[in-house]
Every structure is written in structure tokens, then in C-alpha cells.
Amino acid sequence: MSESSVTGVSADLQGPDRTSHPSQTSQQYWTEAAHTGALREVGLPEPGPGELLIETLYSGISRGTESLVHRGEVPANITETMQAPFQLGELPFPVSHGYLNVGVVRQGNESLIGETVFTLAGHREHVVVPEAAAHVVPEGCTPQRALLAGIGEVGLNGLWEGPVLVGDRVAVVGGGLIGLTTALLASKMALQRLQVVEIDAERRGFIESLGLEAVAPEEASPDNDVVLHSTASSAGLASALRLAGDDAVIVEQSWYGTAEQQIPLGADFHARRLRIVATQVGQVPGPRRMRRTRGERLATALDLLDSRFEMLISGHSPLSELPAVMRDVAAGAPWTREQILHVIDHPLAEHHAFG
């Protein structure tokens, strides 16, 4: 599944009846209808017992899933499963979705006030989450890099799902946000081979600058033990099947929404005993789920973000421009095609000298 396929801990935590200072306002991004987003001005939300009020510095656009949400392409039978952890409203709309947020704790546990934390919240100037859902950004990790913790969780889940093991030959098909995050995490392992398969030559050059091997589909090595696919396209999945060795696993990290795909399962798919495995971050892959909570998995992903992940940040826009930015992202406007992680700067960020 794609990066925002996470189940909710508590939906609608910040409804209009949970405001503490009506005279103080806060901005929230909402998808009001298909292809229509807007900023709402609401009262400042109030934390309850065991909760934190966080003022957002940055939020990040998870392009694949948030585009599906913006276009109204979430299948009706899985809207509950696909809700973001701290979304407001209900899918398909109106809904305030998203799950990459870094901010500063303003109210709650006194020992955390002033700390910079990552949460699986969305594009809202202020968010309220349970204390256990806020992860303090490690020393040396910039707030912007910390936005990638939610994507790192997706990549880590995919590697566990394979599983990818020491000495493996691994291909990552797709050099987008999910694929590159997964590949950077995989590069920390002692693998026999790791290739990122990408059709765009310019993107392959960027991938090489990350210290990863990038190849065109026709140049990729076959006989892989695990192939991780994240292009959300039939052609990409066909490449993943072709690159898998006998008895190998293809981990499907894409989320297709309502789009139907043609999967080439003829030829030697059965004869080579290939397996396509779904991965969805709402659950920790078994058997690790017996020993890891989702919170522990997220904390691990946050700790694994080295300085290379900073290079995945490809652009910035202020919160005031988010409705127009999301429209362009969901429509595939030319300028968005070069984006990997597009960061939304909230008003608080303008007053801090963060990297």
C-alpha cells in the first residue's frame, strides 16, 4: 500500500466543540469536494487529559495518497480503513487528511512543552494528539527531515514484509518518495545488490547522487530475492514481476485507489512460484507485530533518517497556497512531476531559523 494507508488511532480529535480560546484562531486544510480544497479558520483546539496541543512548523504532501483523496478516488468500501490517524471529517469529504507533521508542543505534559515533535497529523496549523503519538525529533535531525518519518515507516514496513535479509539481491521499482525512502533504508543493510529501477533519466541522476545505483528497467538485473514496487502502474508491476527470481517475493507498496490494473500473471508467473505481497502500514507485519507496536515502528523509522533523506525535500510552499498546490499535485501539473517531498511551511516556521 501507499504511504498514507494507515488506520486511525482516533478520528475527529479536533472537532469544533474542542476549542479553548474562541478568540484565537487556527487554519486547517480541508478537501471540501472532489478536486476542491480550502483553508478553514477555526478556534484554537484544546487538548484533553493525556493529550498535547502542537503548533505546526511544517507538514508534508504525500503525493500518491493525498492526490487520490483530493480527486475523490478512495473506494467507498475501505474509507474507514484508509482514514489518516488524526484526520477530521470522514472520507471521501469533507475531510482534513494528511499524516506528515512536525511542530512544537504548546500545551500538555510540562516536560514536553517546547519540544519539536513528529506526529501522524496533517495540514493544520494546530493539532491535538495523545502524548504517546508525539515523537520527539532526535538531536541532529532537522524538523524538515523529520517529516519523512511517516514515509520511513512505510519503507520499513515493506522491508519487514519481504522480508529483506542480509546478503539479498533487491530491486526497488520506482524512484518516487516511497521508493527512494525504501531504498535509502535498504542501503543500510549488508545486501549483495540493491538497484533502484527508474524510467526517467534525470531522476536516475538524482538517485545516483544519493549514493544509490539507479538503472533503467531494461538494464536492471534479474534474479532478485525481493522486489519492492511503488510506481502505482501496471507497467511498473510488470517490471517487478520480470525482475523477481524464482520463488521470490514482490512487495506491492502502491495504492491504486479506484483505478483498476492489468497484471501480467500469465507466462511463467505460476511456474516460477512468484508471490505478490500486500503491505499496509495500519499493521506491523507478522510476526513482528507480536513484538513491535506501530508507535515503536514509527520511532525506529525516525531514528533511521540520516542526512541523505534531507535531499528528498524538493520544494516549499506556504500554508496559504496549499489549496492551489494540492490542485496542481492531484492534476499532475508539470511543475509537480519533479517533486519528491513538497513541504508546506506554516506561519510558525517563518519565525524560526530551522534547517
Side-chain angles (χ1 to χ4, degrees), residues 114-236:
E115 291 280 7
T116 302
V117 296
F118 172 87
T119 67
L120 289 168
H123 307 291
R124 300 194 292 277
E125 192 178 357
H126 296 84
V127 297
V128 169
V129 301
E131 182 180 330
H135 299 266
V136 176
V137 174
E139 185 176 352
C141 179
T142 67
Q144 293 181 41
R145 188 198 312 172
L147 282 173
L148 286 145
I151 307 299
E153 184 178 31
V154 177
L156 183 60
N157 216 61
L159 296 176
W160 283 353
E161 199 79 68
V164 174
L165 303 175
V166 170
D168 274 356
R169 296 184 290 270
V170 177
V172 175
V173 179
L177 179 58
I178 294 293
L180 292 182
T181 300
T182 301
L184 286 174
L185 291 175
S187 71
K188 296 175 178 288
M189 304 177 65
L191 302 176
Q192 183 176 351
R193 183 179 68 226
L194 173 63
Q195 293 182 324
V196 180
V197 183
E198 170 56 47
I199 61 174
D200 184 81
E202 186 173 348
R203 179 60 60 89
R204 290 199 299 271
F206 171 74
I207 294 169
E208 294 281 353
S209 74
L210 294 171
L212 300 169
E213 181 183 359
V215 295
E218 62 274 14
E219 299 170 345
S221 299
D223 197 29
N224 287 284
D225 300 292
V226 180
V227 181
L228 299 111
H229 172 248
S230 62
T231 72
S233 70
S234 296

